[in-house]
């Protein structure tokens, strides 16, 4: 028996997978975007489109702005591309500079200036979604609501979401916003179980000492209840399950991939897709062949037993 997803998410129609553009735009230096970078980005974006991806995830800091610049170059060169994609970007992380150390900045002025930079680099007048990249200890919900209200009224941003924020932070921000938060992008994968583990603390003496502990308690539940689309960054576990002899968990991932006649990456994504929250995995590979192979994840359906086999093997601690 299958049940409809308990989601009212504004992003559902963007499809199950998201392409993360952090690998595009060349190196992390200050130099210009090169023709080779444009060619690489073109290949990667075409591969993502070929497997049905519509939503492209950016951040103002990726490759120091060059991920957005190279994507803007693709949009300039292909007049039809903008209509095929939905654009999401993030702001709020500042690298160290002459004035201060690396820091977070969700002040209204910084958010508004960041969006102007994002639009300029992407060569568009509007992005669909803006995510607040990390929680800023100095953030004030009313100030963020003011900035987003101005951006929305100016037609620069469609929706607001967050990243790396737990339930309490989402609830607090939402209390000042007139519009719903539409997304929360967290690191979730078989290599990063905190958000999932936070829901299985019953009878677990190590619950408060496991890395990540119970900080994420209620986060997945809040998102599902309020229609906040969950997105998983690091969804391919940054390639960490590549070697089947590296761990019992890697061996289990490989065996399940073999049983489904698919790749390890597709199994990692299918594990996320199997969660009832309708998590959208964000795929960060810059390799066109690997990106195309990720499309298989929507073909396979892991059984409850396979899901738990992978969860318990990577968790390294038995249930119940
Ligand atoms: N919100 C946040 O704070 C945050 C933080 C980080 C990232 N993100 C977003 O999430 C996206 C994905 O994150 P991510 O890049 O950290 O995670 P990822 O998708 O898990 O990892 C991508 C990296 O893993 C490598 N990889 C994947 N499969 C591999 C395999 N089978 N063998 C060897 N290497 C493999 C890729 O190399 P190749 O390129 O060679 O395939 C690439 O370097 C980013 O693009 C970005 O949009 C968000």
């Amino acid at each position: 028996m299958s049940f409809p997803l308990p989601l009212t998410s504004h992003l559902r129609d963007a499809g199950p997978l998201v392409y993360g553009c952090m690998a595009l735009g060349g190196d992390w230096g200050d130099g210009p975007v090169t023709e080779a970078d444009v060619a690489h980005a073109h290949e990667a974006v075409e591969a993502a489109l070929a497997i049905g991806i519509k939503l492209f995830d950016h951040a103002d800091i990726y490759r120091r702005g060059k991920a957005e610049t190279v994507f803007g170059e693709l949009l300039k060169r292909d007049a039809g591309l903008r209509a095929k994609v939905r654009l999401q970007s993030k702001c709020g992380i500042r690298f160290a500079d002459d004035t201060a150390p690396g820091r977070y900045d969700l002040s209204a002025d910084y958010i508004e200036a960041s969006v102007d930079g994002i639009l300029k680099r992407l060569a568009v007048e509007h992005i669909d979604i803006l995510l607040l990249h990390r929680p800023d200890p100095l953030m004030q919900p009313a100030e963020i609501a003011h900035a987003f209200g101005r951006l929305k009224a100016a037609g620069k941003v469609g929706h607001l979401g967050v990243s790396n924020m737990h339930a309490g932070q989402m609830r607090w921000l939402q209390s000042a916003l007139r519009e719903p938060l539409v997304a929360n992008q967290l690191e979730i994968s078989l290599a990063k179980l905190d958000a999932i583990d936070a829901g299985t603390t019953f009878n677990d003496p190590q619950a408060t000492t496991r890395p990540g502990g119970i900080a994420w308690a209620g986060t997945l539940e809040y998102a599902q209840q309020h229609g906040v689309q969950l997105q998983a960054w690091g969804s391919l576990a940054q390639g960490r399950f590549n070697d089947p002899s590296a761990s019992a968990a890697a061996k289990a991932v490989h065996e399940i991939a073999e049983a489904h006649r698919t790749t390890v990456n597709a199994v990692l994504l299918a594990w996320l897709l199997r969660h009832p929250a309708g998590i959208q995995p964000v795929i960060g590979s810059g390799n066109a062949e690997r990106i195309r192979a990720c499309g298989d994840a929507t073909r396979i359906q892991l059984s409850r037993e396979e899901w738990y086999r992978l969860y318990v093997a990577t968790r390294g601690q038995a249930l119940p």
Side-chain angles (χ1 to χ4, degrees):
M1 192 184 297
S2 73
F3 295 89
L5 290 173
L7 284 175
T8 53
S9 163
H10 297 256
L11 307 187
R12 269 292 79 198
D13 62 344
L17 302 174
V18 176
Y19 183 67
C21 296
M22 193 169 74
L24 310 184
D27 60 26
W28 285 81
D30 289 325
V33 162
T34 65
E35 273 307 312
D37 300 333
V38 177
H40 171 239
H42 175 71
E43 257 191 41
V45 169
E46 286 300 314
L49 292 170
I51 59 167
I53 288 180
K54 297 188 189 81
L55 182 55
F56 288 78
D57 177 67
H58 287 271
D60 54 357
I61 57 166
Y62 292 165
R63 313 275 155 169
R64 294 192 178 265
K66 289 191 292 181
E68 289 174 335
T69 302
V70 81
F71 203 95
E73 206 45 48
L74 299 183
L75 289 167
K76 284 187 218 162
R77 294 183 190 193
D78 176 358
L81 181 58
R82 181 66 184 96
K84 293 184 200 161
V85 299
R86 297 177 73 173
L87 296 173
Q88 168 174 288
S89 192
K90 318 184 195 74
C91 69
I93 297 181
R94 301 183 76 158
F95 291 133
D97 53 30
D98 292 343
T99 66
R103 58 207 183 273
Y104 303 129
D105 193 341
L106 294 179
S107 64
D109 286 351
Y110 191 71
I111 291 173
E112 289 191 53
S114 302
V115 169
D116 286 339
I118 289 166
L119 297 178
K120 190 164 177 219
R121 285 186 295 276
L122 285 171
V124 294
E125 291 178 355
H126 169 90
I127 54 168
D128 300 282
I129 306 138
L130 176 71
L131 303 185
L132 307 173
H133 208 153
R134 299 270 163 99
D136 167 9
L138 302 183
M139 69 185 176
Q140 298 184 63
E143 183 178 9
I144 291 170
H146 173 73
F148 176 62
R150 283 171 52 89
L151 291 166
K152 175 111 185 153
K156 294 178 180 179
V157 173
H159 299 288
L160 185 68
V162 297
S163 181
N164 305 305
M165 292 203 193
H166 58 60
Q169 290 163 328
M170 280 192 279
R171 189 179 298 113
W172 187 45
L173 258 182
Q174 187 60 72
S175 70
L177 287 164
R178 292 162 64 151
E179 311 253 352
L181 288 172
V182 298
N184 188 4
Q185 189 176 107
L186 303 171
E187 185 175 13
I188 316 175
S189 75
L190 277 172
K192 188 71 175 175
L193 294 170
D194 299 354
I196 308 273
D197 276 341
T200 58
T201 53
F202 180 75
N203 210 13
D204 177 0
Q206 290 175 37
T208 51
T209 54
R210 269 202 311 263
I214 54 172
W216 296 101
T219 302
L220 302 189
E221 291 82 355
Y222 179 96
Q224 289 175 86
Q225 185 181 357
H226 296 278
V228 179
Q229 175 66 58
L230 288 160
Q231 299 177 345
W233 68 267
S235 62
L236 302 178
Q238 290 100 5
R240 273 179 249 158
F241 290 94
N242 226 1
D243 174 4
S245 63
S247 62
K251 186 166 172 276
V253 177
H254 280 259
E255 284 173 4
I256 289 177
E258 209 168 297
H260 285 271
R261 297 174 191 280
T262 191
T263 61
V264 162
N265 279 355
V267 169
L268 296 175
L269 299 175
W271 187 80
L272 290 164
L273 292 170
R274 178 67 177 78
H275 192 279
I279 297 168
Q280 285 174 327
V282 185
I283 296 166
S285 172
N287 176 309
E289 198 176 321
R290 261 188 214 132
I291 297 166
R292 271 191 294 274
C294 287
D296 223 17
T298 56
R299 177 185 65 78
I300 57 178
Q301 169 94 4
L302 297 186
S303 67
R304 176 172 276 269
E305 288 66 33
E306 287 171 324
W307 192 91
Y308 267 100
R309 185 178 167 210
L310 293 174
Y311 174 45
V312 174
T314 43
R315 192 174 190 259
Q317 191 188 347
L319 292 171

